[in-house]
């Protein structure tokens, strides 16, 4: 199926902008930290928030952070993509690694765990919050899309993990003085819409 790029770009932009406005994800004078992995979802979030800032009358600041887990042959390309896109948009980028924080990479401790996915997620979220807090950011923007939310909700429902149900929202309020609230600008955007690319 042929996708008409201009119409497609307009649909994606309107979807994201409407989500931001409907749920009041960004307020005047906010400082937003965007978690950028280098993947399509986070790069789209980076570009959409930059467009929102330039095309609307809401004055807010954007910066980005890329967490390097230290997985050989995996993260290098993502970091390069994050750097290239942030440079293109003139958005400050902080690259911070597990080794910077704990003096070891994820590869160094992979034999401790049956699967490194769980500790990797915990460590990444910790560092994302830490860097955002140190930079006095009001919110963290992530690239979670509609499919991510649905899949996560179904897994949580299957486990009957009722404590996690409040997190299924485009904005997660501050639950602790040291926790930076999170926003999900792609919350209503289906993943298939991300496969074609839009910038």
């Amino acid at each position: 199926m042929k996708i008409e790029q201009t119409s497609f770009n307009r649909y994606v932009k309107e979807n994201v902008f409407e989500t931001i406005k409907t749920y009041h994800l960004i307020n005047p004078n906010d400082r937003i930290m965007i978690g950028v992995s280098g993947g399509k979802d986070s790069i789209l979030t980076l570009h959409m928030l930059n467009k929102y800032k330039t095309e609307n009358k809401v004055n807010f600041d954007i910066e980005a952070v890329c967490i390097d887990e230290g997985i050989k042959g995996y993260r290098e390309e993502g970091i390069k993509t994050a750097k290239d896109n942030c440079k293109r948009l003139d958005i400050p980028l902080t690259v911070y690694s597990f080794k910077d924080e704990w003096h070891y990479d994820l590869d160094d401790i992979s034999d401790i765990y049956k699967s490194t996915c769980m500790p990797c997620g915990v460590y990444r979220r910790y560092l994302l919050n830490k860097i955002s807090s140190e930079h006095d950011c009001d919110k963290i923007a992530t690239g979670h899309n509609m499919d991510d939310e649905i899949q996560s909700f179904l897994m949580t429902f299957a486990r009957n993990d009722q404590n996690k149900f409040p997190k299924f929202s485009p904005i997660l309020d501050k639950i602790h003085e040291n926790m930076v609230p999170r926003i999900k600008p792609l919350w209503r955007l289906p993943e298939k819409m991300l496969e074609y690319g839009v910038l």
Side-chain angles (χ1 to χ4, degrees):
M1 180 177 66
K2 182 175 176 59
I3 301 295
E4 201 286 304
Q5 190 70 29
T6 301
S7 298
F8 178 72
N9 285 358
R10 183 168 57 249
Y11 165 79
V12 171
K13 186 177 79 168
E14 289 175 353
N15 179 295
V16 175
F17 281 20
E18 185 178 350
T19 298
I20 293 172
K21 292 175 181 177
T22 299
Y23 298 98
H24 308 289
L25 302 189
I26 298 175
N27 298 313
N29 301 316
D30 271 349
R31 179 180 292 275
I32 308 293
M33 178 68 80
I34 306 174
V36 182
S37 66
K40 63 184 188 305
D41 296 9
S42 65
I43 293 298
L44 178 61
T45 303
L46 184 78
H47 281 261
M48 287 296 100
L49 290 195
N50 187 66
K51 281 181 179 292
Y52 189 79
K53 178 179 179 180
T54 57
E55 296 182 16
N56 289 272
K57 295 181 180 179
V58 181
N59 180 40
F60 65 99
D61 294 322
I62 302 173
E63 56 183 290
V65 60
C66 183
I67 304 299
D68 180 7
E69 308 94 332
I71 306 173
K72 189 175 181 180
Y74 172 72
R75 181 53 65 201
E76 292 91 344
E77 187 62 32
I79 293 173
K80 181 180 182 302
T81 300
K83 287 180 176 178
D84 289 346
N85 279 270
C86 286
K87 182 177 180 180
R88 172 181 166 187
L89 300 176
D90 195 26
I91 294 175
L93 172 67
T94 299
V95 178
Y96 197 73
S97 70
F98 284 16
K99 183 156 282 189
D100 291 330
E101 182 71 12
W102 297 295
H103 309 295
Y104 56 75
D105 289 327
L106 191 63
D107 282 348
D108 297 332
I109 59 170
S110 60
D111 58 337
I112 298 176
Y113 302 96
K114 184 179 295 185
S115 169
T116 54
C117 291
M118 186 279 291
C120 180
V122 172
Y123 295 164
R124 280 176 55 82
R125 287 190 293 273
Y126 169 82
L127 291 182
L128 182 59
N129 187 81
K130 175 183 176 178
I131 300 301
S132 300
S133 180
E134 289 178 350
H135 287 226
D136 295 321
C137 291
D138 300 291
K139 292 162 187 168
I140 300 169
T142 64
H144 292 87
N145 59 59
M146 180 188 290
D147 292 62
D148 294 329
E149 287 292 282
I150 292 172
Q151 292 167 12
S152 184
F153 176 84
L154 291 175
M155 288 190 293
T156 300
F157 182 79
R159 298 187 186 112
N160 193 28
D161 191 351
Q162 299 180 21
N163 291 330
K164 290 187 178 179
F165 284 140
K167 79 172 189 174
F168 300 108
S169 166
I171 184 166
L172 305 182
D173 294 328
K174 192 167 189 174
I175 59 174
H176 187 276
E177 62 180 7
N178 294 325
M179 296 291 288
V180 181
R182 302 197 177 199
I183 58 174
K184 307 169 190 174
L186 310 187
W187 194 67
R188 298 197 301 187
L189 193 66
E191 186 170 15
K192 67 180 180 180
M193 294 298 175
L194 302 169
E195 296 173 357
Y196 302 104
V198 51
L199 293 177

